[in-house]
Amino acid sequence: MIAIEPPRLRAASDVPGGRRKQRVSMADVARLAGVSSQTVSRVANGAAGVVETTREQVLAAMGELGYRPNSAARSLRYGRFNTIGVILFGLSSTGNSRTVEAIATHAAAEGYAITLIPVGAATQDNVMGAFTRMGELTVDGVILIIEVHLLDASAVAIPPDVHVVVVDSDAGDRYPVVDTDQADGTEQAVRHLLALGHRTVWHVAGPAESYAAERRAGAWRRVLEEAGRPVPALERGDWSADSGYHAGLRLAADPSCTAIFAANDQMALGVLRALHERGRRVPADVSVVGFDDIADAGSYLPPLTTVHQDFAEVGRRCVHALLRQIHNEPADAGTDLVATRLVIRESTAPAGETLGRDLRHEG
C-alpha cells in the first residue's frame, strides 16, 4: 500500500511560475500547529498567557507557511496601529536627531514603529498640516519635538482627542512635556568655572528663538547675578561650529575673557579653533565648557568639559508618557525634567596668574 502524503500548504513563493496563491490564513497556521485560531491570534498580537512551547510551535508554523499577520485588519479590530508619529522642527540639530533615535529605539522595544514628519518652519499652518498628515497615516499618538513658543501662543492648537507628548518646550501647562533640565545643567557649568577662580563667565548662546537656548542663557545670567559677578554681553550663535568660531574670534580679542560657556558642543568646537588661531591657550589662558556631551566631545583638543544630556532617557520617558495616554492611563499636563551632569575633562582649569593679580588689585 502506498502512503499518500497530504498536500502541504505553500506560500506564494512556492507557486510555479511565480503566480501568487491565496493568502495564508490564520486558520491554516492553526491547523498546521495543532492549536486554535484564537491561540494563533494571541501569539500574533504578542499577548501574554500563551505557554512558551505553544508559542514556539505557532511561530514555527507561521515561518513554514510564510504567514504574516494582517496588521490593517488587526488595527481595525483593536483600534490601534502600533505606530507613533514624530513631528519635529530641525532634524539636523544634535539634540533632535539623538532624541528621535532614542524614541525609535524605545518605541521598537514596546512593539511600535515610528512615522517621522519634519516641519521646515515652525508655523501654525505647518504644525496643523503635519497633524493632518499624521491622521492620514493612522498613528496612535504623536510626539512633538518643536519650539512651541516660536508660535503665537494664542494660535497654537493641537487637534483635540490626539494623544500627544511635547519635547523641549514651554507647553507644560497644556500638554505633558519631557525636557532636559536646561537650567540645572547650565548652573553646574557656570559654577564650575567660578569655583576655578574666574572672575566671570562669557556665554556663546544659541539662537534667540530656541527654547533650550533661552533657558540656558537665563540660567547663566542668573548664576552670575546671584554671585555678584559682572554679566558680559552674550555672543549669539546658531548651534553650528562656524557660528561658535566667529563668536570665539570676538572673545579671543578680549584679554579679560578667561572663561567661556558655549550653549552646545558644536559651538564650543568653533570657540576652541578661534582661541587656538589667536594664540589663546586652552585651558591655560581660557577655560571652555560646552553642553550636550556629544560622542566626539572627549576627542576635542583639548577634551571638552561639558554638560551631559541623557537623550536615551528623554526618548524613553517620551514613549512611556505617550503609551500611558494610548492605554487610557492618567497622564497629567506638566514638565518631566531629565537630570544633567557635568563631565569634567581637560578644557577647564584654575584661572591663570594674570587673572589672580587682577583680582588681588581689585580687592
Side-chain angles (χ1 to χ4, degrees), residues 69-339:
N70 188 333
S71 57
R74 187 172 66 241
S75 298
L76 290 172
R77 181 176 179 182
Y78 294 102
R80 291 181 188 164
F81 305 94
N82 282 62
T83 302
I84 292 173
V86 179
I87 299 173
L88 79 161
F89 172 65
L91 182 59
S92 61
S93 74
T94 298
N96 285 357
S97 60
R98 292 183 64 180
T99 299
V100 169
E101 179 184 14
I103 289 170
T105 298
H106 290 287
E110 297 289 343
Y112 281 73
I114 69 166
T115 295
L116 180 65
I117 294 186
V119 175
T123 66
Q124 177 65 28
D125 287 345
N126 283 347
V127 172
M128 292 303 294
F131 272 99
T132 299
R133 177 84 187 281
M134 283 295 180
E136 295 170 351
L137 295 173
T138 58
V139 299
D140 298 304
V142 174
I143 297 175
L144 183 62
I145 308 176
I146 198 165
E147 300 280 4
V148 173
H149 81 279
L150 285 174
L151 309 175
D152 181 353
S154 63
V156 174
I158 291 175
D161 302 323
V162 173
H163 300 308
V164 62
V165 172
V166 184
V167 182
D168 188 16
S169 171
D170 57 356
D173 59 338
R174 289 168 286 171
Y175 311 104
V177 172
V178 179
D179 190 17
T180 294
D181 195 338
Q182 313 285 351
D184 184 66
T186 298
E187 290 170 7
Q188 293 180 59
V190 178
R191 287 172 180 158
H192 168 66
L193 291 167
L194 295 179
L196 290 173
H198 297 279
R199 179 169 176 262
T200 189
V201 178
W202 278 253
H203 183 39
V204 180
E209 63 271 16
S210 165
Y211 172 81
E214 290 307 283
R215 280 288 191 269
R216 295 170 198 178
W220 159 78
R221 181 180 301 277
R222 183 171 59 254
V223 172
L224 293 181
E225 290 175 345
E226 290 175 353
R229 305 300 178 88
V231 181
L234 63 77
E235 295 286 342
R236 185 72 71 179
D238 62 7
W239 299 127
S240 69
D242 187 61
S243 69
Y245 170 72
H246 290 290
L249 289 176
R250 293 188 290 270
L251 293 177
D254 182 352
S256 69
C257 176
T258 66
I260 300 171
F261 167 54
N264 76 335
D265 290 349
Q266 289 172 297
M267 291 194 298
L269 176 61
V271 168
L272 292 176
R273 175 192 166 195
L275 293 171
H276 173 74
E277 289 184 358
R278 293 297 184 264
R280 303 291 301 278
R281 298 168 300 166
V282 178
D285 300 324
V286 183
S287 288
V288 178
V289 178
F291 202 111
D292 282 342
D293 193 23
I294 64 175
D296 295 333
S299 298
Y300 284 12
L301 190 62
L304 184 67
T305 295
T306 185
V307 177
H308 177 80
Q309 291 200 77
D310 193 343
F311 294 107
E313 180 63 11
V314 170
R316 187 193 72 79
R317 293 193 193 184
C318 286
V319 172
H320 178 73
L322 191 61
L323 290 182
R324 285 181 63 86
Q325 296 180 54
I326 293 171
H327 297 151
N328 297 316
E329 299 174 10
D332 297 332
T335 300
D336 181 13
L337 292 179
V338 177

